[in-house]
Amino acid sequence: MTQLVDTAKNILLSCLDAKVGEVVLIITDDTRVKIGQALYDAANRIGCEGLLMVMKERELSGEEPPKAVADAMKAADIVVAPTAKSLTHTNARIHAAQAGTRVATMPGITEEMFTRGAMTADYGEVEKLTARITEMLTKAENARIEKEGKVLNLKLSGREGIPSPGVYKEPGKCGNLPSGEAYIAPLEDGSDGEMIIDGSMVGIGKLDSPLSMVISEGKLRSVTGEKKENLDILLQNSNNATLCELGIGTNEAAILNGIILEDEKVYGTVHIAFGTNTSFGGTNKAQCHMDGIILKPTLYLDDILVMENGEFKV
């Protein structure tokens, strides 16, 4: 437990700039109480007013927490959310940020992840690369992902790139921890082509064999591959099927382990997601937000080669 508390203290100070007297709310569920307790203990040791709320596990990533939790989030200075399912793309998180709360979400975090891998990164370096890629995303009108002969084109014009560097020190700043990605909401009807997901996929975990996806007019049309039935929710309606995110991993310490929180931060990977994107500049609200990791892709933003076979070129 001592190592968990030490890590928690470092997170609160170096990533969230926790100050004496600030209200630090820890939101967890029945599956992550030990991590939640470590963060609570660390907050109190720093001299903050630590609060710990435990809810039952959500059924899906992106599902809203209870109203009492959402209201408490708006009233805190800092929220840290080690949970099984993601609160990142919920209205509760959006409204907390609008109220000035600094929010770090940790969907799927494990005790092992808490003390190794992406959590151990030099976040100063992560922040610099993330800022550079974010600026490129904002300027780009189009993106193109290439992988083993498959090509996926995405329209980005008018959308802002979002940095998630793992450093959230100003009021209203939010993102994942561990972190290290730049991402954007493509136009909801602007993605066309095919792509291979071969790293990991929400709903399945680390992939033993690749999934192949066909996308047209921004919607997922078909999935082939092992355990594709785990993704049936994506094909239940057009909102769930909407390609909602393009993300680029920027954390050199991150390890592909089947937990999307860390997988989508792996340096030199690209991920796409389906479902909700209203929390980062999109217009699609769905029942879910499900990411898939593409290993060693080639990525162009407009005509600029950003990444070739997983190697950054910028």
Side-chain angles (χ1 to χ4, degrees):
M1 190 67 176
T2 303
Q3 189 178 8
L4 288 177
V5 174
D6 288 345
T7 299
K9 188 175 176 183
N10 182 55
I11 289 165
L12 291 172
L13 292 172
S14 65
C15 295
L16 290 155
D17 196 25
K19 302 178 191 71
V20 172
E22 286 194 306
V23 175
V24 177
L25 171 63
I26 312 303
I27 298 165
T28 191
D29 56 40
D30 298 320
T31 70
R32 302 293 190 276
V33 172
K34 195 170 179 182
I35 295 172
Q37 183 70 49
L39 284 157
Y40 169 79
D41 291 347
N44 288 325
R45 289 187 191 185
I46 291 166
C48 299
E49 181 69 57
L51 299 171
L52 178 62
M53 296 183 82
V54 183
M55 60 184 181
K56 69 179 181 182
E57 181 183 341
R58 306 291 89 187
E59 290 186 16
L60 294 167
S61 288
E63 182 183 342
E64 297 294 331
K67 183 177 183 296
V69 172
D71 289 345
M73 289 171 70
K74 290 189 287 189
D77 296 298
I78 294 171
V79 168
V80 187
T83 53
K85 303 297 193 298
S86 178
L87 298 182
T88 308
H89 305 293
T90 58
N91 291 331
R93 202 279 302 156
I94 296 170
H95 295 153
Q98 289 169 345
T101 307
R102 298 160 357 241
V103 185
T105 49
M106 298 179 164
I109 190 78
T110 64
E111 290 175 37
E112 185 180 20
M113 282 172 63
F114 201 74
T115 53
R116 63 186 281 276
M119 278 291 195
T120 68
D122 179 341
Y123 274 99
E125 289 302 309
V126 173
E127 194 171 16
K128 282 190 276 190
L129 177 58
T130 302
R132 193 157 76 244
I133 300 299
T134 300
E135 184 181 6
M136 294 182 73
L137 284 170
T138 298
K139 288 180 177 177
E141 294 195 355
N142 298 285
R144 184 168 83 254
I145 310 168
E146 300 177 355
K147 167 90 177 181
E148 295 177 14
K150 307 289 187 186
V151 178
L152 179 62
N153 291 293
L154 308 96
K155 294 179 181 175
L156 311 178
S157 55
R159 296 287 168 87
E160 298 273 321
I162 310 290
S164 184
V167 180
Y168 314 111
K169 296 184 176 182
E170 295 157 23
K173 291 291 185 184
C174 303
N176 286 154
L177 273 176
S179 202
E181 66 166 315
Y183 60 101
I184 194 168
L187 299 183
E188 286 73 13
D189 59 356
S191 302
D192 289 277
E194 298 180 54
M195 191 40 54
I196 292 167
I197 306 295
D198 59 344
S200 65
M201 181 76 208
V202 170
I204 298 176
K206 195 171 179 179
L207 296 174
D208 295 322
S209 60
L211 299 165
S212 184
M213 296 184 167
V214 176
I215 295 135
S216 67
E217 297 180 341
K219 306 291 186 277
L220 179 65
R221 305 298 178 180
S222 68
V223 182
T224 53
E226 284 184 33
K227 301 184 181 177
K228 66 176 184 177
E229 63 277 4
N230 293 25
L231 309 180
D232 283 350
I233 189 171
L234 297 180
L235 300 171
Q236 283 178 6
N237 60 62
S238 63
N239 285 8
N240 292 357
T242 296
L243 197 157
C244 68
E245 178 187 356
L246 166 67
I248 300 157
T250 58
N251 186 322
E252 288 197 78
I255 300 165
L256 189 81
N257 57 25
I259 298 169
I260 209 70
L261 172 64
E262 183 155 3
D263 292 353
E264 66 182 6
K265 313 308 186 308
V266 172
Y267 188 86
T269 64
V270 165
H271 58 277
I272 55 174
F274 301 91
T276 295
N277 62 7
T278 50
S279 63
F280 55 97
T283 61
N284 192 60
K285 181 66 176 174
Q287 295 168 289
C288 57
H289 177 96
M290 298 174 71
D291 304 79
I293 310 300
I294 306 161
L295 302 177
K296 297 184 178 178
T298 293
L299 173 69
Y300 289 87
L301 292 176
D302 291 335
D303 292 323
I304 300 170
L305 178 61
V306 176
M307 191 186 300
E308 185 173 23
N309 299 322
E311 297 287 332
F312 279 105
K313 298 296 180 181
V314 293

